[in-house]
Amino acid sequence: MANDRVPTPPPLHDLPTAKEKRYDRQLRLWGASGQVALEEAHILLVNTGSGVTGIEALKNLVLPGVGQFSILDSAIVCEEDLGVNFFLEDESLGKFRAEETPLESFLQKDDNLKPFTLLLVGAPIDYASLRKIRDLALASQTPLFYTHCIGFFSHFSVQLPRAFPVVDTHPDPTATQDLRLLKPWSELQDFAKRMTDDLETMAQHDLGHVPYVCLLLHYIDKYRTQHGKLPESYKDKTAVRDMVRAEGKDEENFEEAYAAVLKSLNPPTIPSAVRDVLSAPETQSLTSVSSSFWLIANAIQRFVTKYSVLPLPGAVPDMKARSNDYITLQQIYKSKARADCAEVTASVRSLEKSTNRSAKLEIPVNEIENFCKNAAHIHLVRGRPLQLITPGEKPSFGDRAKALRSELTNPESLMGLYLAFLAFDDFTATHTPPVPAHPSSPTGVLVPGASDSALEADAAKLTSTAHTYLDALINESGNRLEDPEYSDLRAEIEKYCTEIARAGGAELHNMASLTGGLVSQEIIKVITGQYVGVDNVCLVEGVASRMGTLKV
Amino acid sequence: MQRRDRGTVQAVGAPLTVRVKNSRVLLIGAGGIGCELLKNLVCCGFGSGYIPPNGANGIPSPKHTPGITVIDLDTIDLSNLNRQFLFRKQHIKKPKALVAKETALPFNPAVNIDAQHASIFDPQYTVAFFRSFDIVFNALDNLAARRHVNRMCLAADVPLIESGTTGFNGQAQAIQKGVTECYDCNPKPVQKSFPICTIRSTPSQPIHCIVWAKSYLLPELFGTSEEEANDMVETEGDDQEEVKKLRAEAQALKKIRGLMGTSEFAKAVFDKVFYEDIERLKSMEEMWQTRKKPVSIQFDTIDKLSAAEGAALASQDQQSWTLVENLAVFCHSLATLTGRAQAGESSIDFDKDDKDTLDFVTSASNLRSHVFGVLLHSEWEVKQMAGNIIPAIATSNALTASLSVMLGFKVFRGMLAAESETATTNGHTMVMKPNNPPLGGSKFIFLNPRSTERIITTQNLARPNPACPVCSPVYAELHIPPVDADGNGMSTLQDLVGILIGNNDYAHFTISTEAGVIYDEDMTDNYSSPLAELGIEPGSSGFVTITDDDEDPRADLVLSVTAAPADGGLSIESHISYGKLPLKPVPAAPPTESGTAPDVKSAMNGIALLNREKRKRGAGDDGDDEVDAAAAKRAKAAPTASDAVVTIDDDGAILLDD
Ligand SMILES: [Zn+2]
């Protein structure tokens, strides 16, 4: 077996200057915590084919500083690989890329997969090994990526742990504004009153410097006095907007207020995705070793029960204002956010006590702060097992059958390509290469179209299997598919299968590079625990540069 | 076909593989996207040359010598290593183009790579140079170079694949004269600049103080250049009296440079800019009627930390420093920069990756922020604002580069179809068959990080904007005959005017070069000047524009200049005739200077494009490549991909039809 271990210095949490400089451009995307997670990661690449996709993905992970990687690979380097595998050079021709150790024997010891934070497996791979890896990853809750890249087509599936929470989702900055204009606290209310006290009599110049947040609070108040309620409906809000317009004296801040009415006059709500987290069984039943995420979620749940709102994020957008007024306004929001966070922190500390959490596991303050700041945008992925066919049998789509059946009538969907890749796996699982194998063939795996003479027969076999899978999905969903859609879909699947067979398992370097790019981007999201990623299947059709996702 | 080409052959078919191997490719830029592009091009066999096994049997021999030419003027910096994978630590400070070649060649030694460490603005890169390629790939990091290459490719009528990334965002598009929109068909936003009085007298935002420190204080103390910074300009709104006083103030500061190296230097600089100048500003009551007055500070009244403490603070760049701490860093960086200046560095300019200048700019801008009651920032934040840093990562570059090469395959497929068509019709003008869409059916491709359902989206390429000042003119060549041994035969402006009237049927027109108008009916001063004296000579990358002055004007004629063959006279390509020029479309609004300028916020998000002078490498130039914000916006509204199918035609070649 191969062990291309890259020695790493111990991860440095304070990121010294040279490293910071090297990673400057990316630290701006995932911060020091993301960088530390990358540096602590150890990735296993299982490559038995020509493997360019895996190598490309690995390159994109080594560059931003992934701590360690190992390649498990039993293929022998031959010239064919050189066209596509840039880590290898002409000199290594004829040498082993790795010591030959059958994948099977490596997988015999369950512990062998323990050191890895993430597994990346490239098709083709022998069926028993894939199943073993999938099961071990499920048991240890280790993220697993599985890829195909054949000709102009590629695919990857992601198997995440049962609960995979993301706190830093990096939402669109405009989506994160939470000004609480319909639910102001007294300090904010008082400040706005002070700023808008003599609005009617104010000199034009002063009028142009009242922060728009104060203007809006003023008009909301005025609306409430007139109508006896808050402006909550769309009609109410446009009424407030008209009030702003009526008084707006061509000043920039009035323009800002006018523009902000519809998006800022919203009662603070708790998104359903966040409610799901707060009511999740893991949040509800804490133990002494619950992850910090669930413990903080529980504390936030307490906060929500008490106040019916999430903790205030505390950020204030730029606006026209005198700088000292703006700073005061910022401070009002900041100190409210701090107070909310302090309350959550107090709950966290008491939960740590009541659950008998060890002092070593004490949750750092900045983690609680970060959670509070992002509370409205946290995201929980419920990882699903990688779908594996059983050779020669019809696949089952379980609780996703209905949803996937509806993909079949979506002209944008690449469901047909997914079925073709499943059929590819069935083909490799049910065929063995003639002995002796061509030195370039991955051990024990025969791909469709490997020889010109078998091309047509292989294409027909693939197509027939994929058609069976299509029927299986339709039957399982209990929802028939009529012509011409059904016939069109069968024809589309046949095209995919014919192309896959034609490629004879060969990777087009550029397509492997594209797929490797997508896979590594998703791996970075998983390792850093930031950004919302693909859940859980991604397909690429390179001819038209099309991609699509499925949840299987 | 060699075994190593198997992947390509199986995917795209033998005819296209041969065409790609026989291609001549120009790659401009060997940075983040450039490294990836070079690797993909090399591994897919572009420019590796096809040697037919049994002689050139029916396969047309290549028009030009196959190969890949890569041009980059940069050298390798440590901050490139997180994504520019062809470079290693030992390559720092070496030319990117040369190292990229050295590292990429072993991937496929059959490829003929020509690496040039030069600026694409250099005069040797003429229209004729561009025309010697089948395709050009842009992997640039700045707007000026992108616009230049766009124009050269239009003039040379060579397809261009343009691409860029910002963080997780990216895009790639194919451009061809008369077929698609060009890079300049949509106005590009330019970097925001500030009125000089805002920067020097009445700052109200952190960015004002940062620009002051980086574009005024640092150059006055350590620079030599007399050039005006391009982010600080005199505007009509600036009070002329005040501008004069500011000049005097700057002169006074220059004098303080004389104290450099003495123990009084830090105190002298500090008291000049944070006390004297502020006191003067404070005395101008009218300035502070609607603004908060600044509060001056004096060197002697602030606590001092030791030099070691200053140096230690400078490494804590994520936290905000207090007044005392900022002073300590200020003194520390001033001393370091003084040491460098005295060791012989004649001019120290701001570079966000030069820690000493960053320390100086951060501390000085924070001290000024303190004076004007503006929020202080950490060095990390200042760096982003001052350096206009664009986040860049390996994955987006890999994705964007592979999408670009995908477009390249399509363009070659289009060429292949056109070439075989031309061959069968005996050289007659090629008519596109309906199944041969322009540029092989290339698309505008976007990477959208926020949409996990559609990380990649495409939209159809737009038609050229008929009012685009860059792609709507007609481009042609002006041939200038060589001068004989006695210096005779020098072509003059009069000769040029003569052939325009005599050979090309022009009547009323204006001739201009990059330097401005050189001829119109009322301006004949240059009439007898040799063209060479007017900057019009073979081997320059400049253009000569002929503008029609008729009431219903024809399109502009833009001429690139080449040497005429030995026996040829001064001439414009024969097919150009006034009567055949299209009418001029409604004039387009030139790219605006302020209208679409992004604000500072978006600049910090990295979506701002910098308006840079030719060849001037500013400190903000090294992000990978910026995404065109307008196009990115369109992408949001873009319809998703159409229904592409792959079909196999009779001779076994795969057609990439959409
Ligand atoms: Zn244009």
Side-chain angles (χ1 to χ4, degrees):
Chain A
M1 86 137 258
N3 252 320
D4 282 343
R5 279 241 162 98
V6 174
T8 10
L12 290 150
H13 290 261
D14 52 349
L15 294 171
T17 316
K19 189 178 281 184
E20 192 180 287
K21 193 168 163 188
R22 177 173 188 150
Y23 297 130
D24 183 86
R25 302 298 183 276
Q26 67 197 40
L27 284 173
R28 287 169 202 280
L29 294 173
W30 51 70
S33 67
Q35 191 61 31
V36 168
L38 279 177
E39 287 172 18
E40 287 174 349
H42 186 174
I43 295 175
L44 175 67
L45 169 64
V46 182
N47 239 1
T48 56
S50 51
V52 188
T53 306
I55 297 288
E56 280 277 352
L58 215 50
K59 173 207 72 196
N60 297 338
L61 293 165
V62 170
L63 284 170
V66 153
Q68 265 190 80
F69 66 88
S70 301
I71 303 174
L72 188 57
D73 176 341
S74 54
I76 299 165
V77 177
C78 74
E79 202 192 341
E80 194 173 309
D81 295 325
L82 292 177
V84 285
N85 193 338
F86 60 89
F87 272 180
L88 304 169
E89 295 175 10
D90 270 2
E91 301 160 19
S92 46
L93 201 71
K95 291 180 199 158
F96 288 97
R97 190 162 15 167
E99 236 180 285
E100 202 158 0
T101 298
L103 191 51
E104 280 166 45
S105 55
F106 177 78
L107 292 171
Q108 227 114 74
K109 267 189 79 188
D110 291 3
D111 278 359
N112 279 352
L113 284 185
K114 278 258 167 70
F116 304 106
T117 31
L118 188 141
L119 313 173
L120 171 58
V121 179
I125 174 174
D126 80 274
Y127 176 75
S129 299
L130 179 60
R131 167 148 292 215
K132 179 85 184 179
I133 293 171
R134 201 259 324 238
D135 293 345
L136 288 175
L138 265 184
S140 63
Q141 297 281 289
T142 308
L144 165 67
F145 281 70
Y146 176 52
T147 72
H148 285 91
C149 182
I150 301 166
F152 269 106
F153 303 125
S154 70
H155 143 266
F156 69 89
S157 289
V158 190
Q159 173 180 295
L160 288 177
R162 266 304 289 154
F164 187 79
V166 184
V167 176
D168 283 316
T169 50
H170 299 264
D172 194 316
T174 55
T176 58
Q177 244 175 55
D178 183 359
L179 295 172
R180 301 281 161 94
L181 295 181
L182 293 184
K183 217 177 168 180
W185 58 101
S186 57
E187 287 85 355
L188 177 61
Q189 193 78 281
D190 294 348
F191 176 71
K193 279 231 166 66
R194 233 173 32 245
M195 295 300 295
T196 55
D197 233 359
D198 47 355
L199 202 63
E200 272 73 32
T201 56
M202 216 177 259
Q204 185 76 13
H205 188 83
D206 294 325
L207 200 62
H209 284 85
V210 179
Y212 85 78
V213 166
C214 300
L215 289 176
L216 285 180
L217 285 166
H218 171 80
Y219 290 111
I220 291 167
D221 211 43
K222 205 165 159 186
Y223 181 94
R224 196 174 42 190
T225 321
Q226 286 171 9
H227 297 84
K229 60 162 186 158
L230 282 170
E232 279 179 346
S233 72
Y234 178 78
K235 215 174 130 245
D236 299 347
K237 285 192 249 177
T238 48
V240 173
R241 207 167 57 165
D242 292 342
M243 289 162 72
V244 176
R245 179 55 25 112
E247 304 220 9
K249 316 186 157 92
D250 260 355
E251 293 288 346
E252 205 181 321
N253 54 337
F254 277 82
E255 284 301 320
E256 288 174 342
Y258 182 85
V261 168
L262 293 183
K263 67 170 196 256
S264 305
L265 267 58
N266 295 313
T269 52
I270 299 162
S272 64
V274 177
R275 285 189 187 280
D276 289 348
V277 171
L278 300 187
S279 59
E282 292 97 327
T283 307
Q284 296 306 319
S285 44
L286 297 176
T287 69
S288 61
V289 290
S290 284
S291 81
S292 52
F293 178 85
W294 301 120
L295 213 124
I296 304 173
N298 186 306
I300 299 260
Q301 167 63 33
R302 281 156 200 260
F303 187 93
V304 168
T305 309
K306 195 163 161 195
Y307 300 105
S308 313
V309 290
L310 290 168
L312 183 76
V316 182
D318 276 351
M319 64 189 77
K320 178 109 190 287
R322 290 202 178 85
S323 43
N324 36 351
D325 292 340
Y326 182 70
I327 291 169
T328 310
L329 190 64
Q330 268 187 326
Q331 276 160 357
I332 290 170
Y333 273 89
K334 268 205 188 121
S335 45
K336 171 69 173 145
R338 243 180 257 130
D340 285 1
C341 181
E343 197 162 336
V344 173
T345 308
S347 294
V348 169
R349 296 296 172 238
S350 87
L351 285 168
E352 284 174 336
K353 244 191 216 128
S354 62
T355 57
N356 294 319
R357 201 177 177 84
S358 98
K360 270 188 296 190
L361 292 178
E362 190 186 89
I363 301 170
V365 179
N366 60 0
E367 196 180 331
I368 305 172
E369 278 171 3
N370 195 39
F371 200 122
C372 289
K373 213 171 73 197
N374 292 296
H377 303 277
I378 50 173
H379 183 86
L380 176 65
V381 183
R382 291 292 187 187
R384 300 174 62 86
L386 174 72
Q387 185 182 25
L388 276 190
I389 47 101
T390 308
E393 284 179 27
K394 285 177 186 168
S396 163
F397 297 87
D399 59 343
R400 297 296 301 159
K402 279 204 157 52
L404 292 170
R405 157 66 184 79
S406 70
E407 290 282 341
L408 298 177
T409 48
N410 170 8
E412 297 287 319
S413 174
L414 288 168
M415 185 68 201
L417 182 56
Y418 179 69
L419 296 176
F421 278 126
L422 284 184
F424 174 92
D425 283 357
D426 178 77
F427 186 99
T428 58
T430 51
H431 291 73
T432 38
V435 185
H438 182 275
S440 74
S441 302
T443 36
V445 179
L446 182 73
V447 298
S451 71
D452 288 350
S453 55
L455 180 65
E456 269 178 43
D458 288 356
K461 268 190 214 165
L462 266 189
T463 306
S464 143
T465 310
H467 281 165
T468 316
Y469 292 178
L470 172 67
D471 293 341
L473 171 60
I474 293 171
N475 285 339
E476 196 178 349
S477 75
N479 188 359
R480 278 176 57 85
L481 187 63
E482 302 298 335
D483 270 338
E485 275 112 334
Y486 179 67
S487 303
D488 290 350
L489 202 56
R490 281 175 61 93
E492 188 189 321
I493 288 171
E494 184 176 356
K495 266 181 196 160
Y496 290 138
C497 291
T498 311
E499 273 311 298
I500 287 174
R502 257 182 73 89
E507 286 174 291
L508 172 63
H509 189 110
N510 199 56
M511 196 61 201
S513 176
L514 179 67
T515 311
L518 287 169
V519 167
S520 53
Q521 179 166 301
E522 292 305 309
I523 289 180
I524 287 174
K525 291 179 185 172
V526 171
I527 292 176
T528 59
Q530 298 181 33
Y531 296 93
V532 178
V534 168
D535 177 24
N536 51 6
V537 169
C538 178
L539 295 146
V540 184
E541 199 276 72
V543 177
S545 301
R546 257 172 99 196
M547 71 151 281
T549 54
L550 298 170
K551 190 162 180 168
V552 176
Chain B
M1 208 68 64
Q2 288 165 287
R3 283 195 58 83
R4 73 183 318 141
D5 297 321
R6 186 171 159 253
T8 309
V9 175
Q10 307 241 18
V12 305
L16 185 50
T17 307
V18 171
R19 184 65 190 86
V20 159
K21 285 171 78 101
N22 279 338
S23 63
R24 197 168 144 77
V25 176
L26 175 60
L27 168 60
I28 307 166
I33 294 183
C35 281
E36 284 286 338
L37 269 171
L38 186 60
K39 173 210 54 179
N40 291 357
L41 291 170
V42 164
C43 290
C44 290
F46 281 79
S48 59
Y50 175 69
I51 304 144
N54 329 303
N57 218 345
I59 290 165
S61 59
K63 194 167 56 161
H64 316 289
T65 320
I68 300 173
T69 299
V70 53
I71 302 175
D72 195 301
L73 83 129
D74 262 347
T75 52
I76 295 157
D77 182 80
L78 179 61
S79 70
N80 300 144
L81 300 188
N82 78 329
R83 62 199 187 283
Q84 301 177 9
F85 74 98
L86 297 177
F87 310 141
R88 305 279 178 271
K89 247 204 175 119
Q90 69 268 25
H91 296 136
I92 287 173
K93 294 211 157 48
K94 290 189 179 160
K96 284 185 178 177
L98 307 187
V99 176
K101 172 188 171 173
E102 200 180 292
T103 320
L105 197 55
F107 303 163
N108 186 353
V111 181
N112 168 24
I113 305 179
D114 175 16
Q116 304 192 8
H117 179 218
S119 163
I120 196 62
F121 288 104
D122 289 350
Q124 73 266 30
Y125 301 127
T126 58
V127 172
F129 171 81
F130 278 85
R131 194 177 293 130
S132 74
F133 296 95
D134 288 312
I135 193 168
V136 177
F137 286 89
N138 254 357
L140 288 160
D141 62 2
N142 69 89
L143 183 64
R146 280 197 166 102
R147 297 176 83 159
H148 176 74
V149 173
N150 175 56
R151 195 168 188 215
M152 297 303 277
C153 288
L154 292 170
D157 197 19
V158 172
L160 167 67
I161 308 294
E162 166 62 50
S163 58
T165 67
T166 297
F168 287 118
N169 289 93
Q171 66 185 45
Q173 78 185 101
I175 294 172
Q176 184 150 32
K177 167 90 170 126
V179 177
T180 69
E181 64 180 348
C182 81
Y183 187 69
D184 269 328
C185 275
N186 298 300
K188 298 287 178 288
V190 293
Q191 186 188 21
K192 179 133 178 159
S193 58
F194 302 96
I196 189 163
C197 287
T198 304
I199 298 302
R200 296 279 304 277
S201 307
T202 55
S204 60
Q205 293 171 18
I207 187 71
H208 299 157
C209 298
I210 293 166
V211 170
W212 173 84
K214 127 186 172 184
S215 301
Y216 167 68
L217 189 60
L218 181 71
E220 291 295 347
L221 291 176
F222 295 101
T224 47
S225 116
E226 294 296 315
E227 251 181 286
E228 292 279 315
N230 60 4
D231 50 4
M232 188 166 72
V233 292
E234 219 180 293
T235 65
E236 277 179 28
D238 282 320
D239 176 351
Q240 288 310 304
E241 276 304 298
E242 178 64 10
V243 170
K244 254 186 226 158
K245 281 184 193 145
L246 292 174
R247 288 223 180 89
E249 224 172 68
Q251 285 309 314
L253 187 58
K254 278 225 168 80
K255 283 194 190 121
I256 294 179
R257 279 177 79 148
L259 294 173
M260 197 181 290
T262 68
S263 56
E264 292 112 89
F265 186 50
K267 176 175 154 58
V269 173
F270 187 98
D271 284 342
K272 172 81 179 81
V273 299
F274 299 120
Y275 183 75
E276 277 172 47
D277 293 350
I278 303 298
E279 284 298 310
R280 184 189 73 79
L281 283 173
K282 274 168 71 181
S283 69
M284 304 177 61
E285 289 299 334
E286 72 283 8
M287 210 179 256
W288 312 110
Q289 277 167 0
T290 61
R291 298 183 179 95
K292 194 171 153 256
K293 248 190 198 182
V295 181
S296 63
I297 45 180
Q298 271 181 293
F299 191 79
D300 288 337
T301 61
I302 304 172
D303 291 336
K304 303 294 176 309
L305 301 176
S306 71
E309 282 170 303
L313 277 164
S315 66
Q316 296 166 19
D317 69 348
Q318 306 249 7
Q319 71 181 56
S320 275
W321 301 322
T322 63
L323 176 63
V324 171
E325 289 170 340
N326 272 300
L327 176 60
V329 178
F330 180 79
C331 293
H332 160 72
S333 59
L334 202 61
T336 318
L337 291 171
T338 298
R340 281 170 53 176
Q342 291 185 329
E345 242 180 285
S346 60
S347 177
I348 305 174
D349 297 321
F350 177 74
D351 176 346
K352 64 187 180 305
D353 293 319
D354 177 343
K355 182 78 165 75
D356 301 333
T357 61
L358 182 63
D359 288 344
F360 180 80
V361 166
T362 305
S363 56
S365 68
N366 272 335
L367 290 166
R368 187 165 171 87
S369 293
H370 177 87
V371 165
F372 283 90
V374 174
L375 215 58
L376 307 197
H377 282 272
S378 71
E379 185 165 72
W380 168 265
E381 294 160 327
V382 169
K383 182 175 180 184
Q384 177 135 359
M385 290 190 262
N388 209 338
I389 289 180
I390 294 136
I393 39 167
T395 50
S396 308
N397 289 338
L399 287 168
T400 304
S402 49
L403 292 170
S404 292
V405 173
M406 218 61 99
L407 289 178
F409 272 113
K410 291 200 165 201
V411 169
F412 277 105
R413 192 198 83 92
M415 273 184 218
L416 188 67
E419 283 160 10
S420 55
E421 179 103 340
T422 313
T424 54
T425 55
N426 244 340
H428 284 292
T429 316
M430 193 261 311
V431 183
M432 285 277 187
K433 282 196 292 188
N435 66 351
N436 184 19
L439 292 175
S442 295
K443 302 275 175 155
F444 205 138
I445 311 177
F446 300 91
L447 288 180
N448 310 301
R450 295 199 196 282
S451 154
T452 49
E453 282 85 50
R454 297 223 167 257
I455 299 171
I456 301 167
T457 54
T458 61
Q459 78 182 86
N460 289 331
L461 292 170
R463 295 280 307 152
N465 169 5
C468 172
V470 182
C471 68
S472 69
V474 172
Y475 286 85
E477 271 180 25
L478 170 65
H479 307 292
I480 298 187
V483 182
D484 69 21
D486 307 324
N488 295 322
M490 188 103 75
S491 304
T492 63
L493 182 59
Q494 188 171 10
D495 298 334
L496 177 58
V497 171
I499 61 156
L500 278 165
I501 296 170
N503 298 353
N504 303 96
D505 304 330
Y506 265 87
H508 312 286
F509 56 92
T510 301
I511 304 177
S512 43
T513 66
E514 260 101 274
V517 173
I518 54 170
Y519 165 86
D520 65 30
E521 282 173 357
D522 306 320
M523 178 188 170
T524 50
D525 336 5
N526 296 320
Y527 218 50
S528 54
S529 305
L531 289 174
E533 272 177 29
L534 298 164
I536 304 173
E537 53 187 333
S540 84
S541 60
F543 289 96
V544 183
T545 304
I546 319 295
T547 315
D548 184 14
D549 291 335
D550 202 84
E551 242 176 65
D552 274 328
R554 303 274 166 170
D556 287 354
L557 177 62
V558 177
L559 303 173
S560 54
V561 186
T562 58
D567 52 346
L570 184 73
S571 67
I572 293 168
E573 280 175 284
S574 57
H575 65 272
I576 297 295
S577 147
Y578 179 79
K580 286 190 201 154
L581 293 177
L583 283 175
K584 191 175 204 155
V586 189
T592 61
E593 289 299 317
S594 57
T596 51
D599 57 13
V600 178
K601 271 176 289 172
S602 65
M604 290 192 292
N605 289 340
I607 315 271
L609 294 156
L610 308 179
N611 183 22
R612 253 160 235 293
E613 295 301 306
K614 280 186 179 184
R615 266 171 286 176
K616 182 169 170 196
R617 300 282 306 171
D621 253 319
D622 91 331
D624 270 302
D625 324 79
E626 303 115 16
V627 164
D628 170 349
K633 227 177 245 164
R634 279 193 306 158
K636 276 191 185 166
T640 45
S642 57
D643 43 334
V645 284
V646 177
T647 53
I648 301 169
D649 73 4
D650 298 333
D651 61 346
I654 299 177
L655 298 180
L656 317 181
D657 278 340
D658 294 48

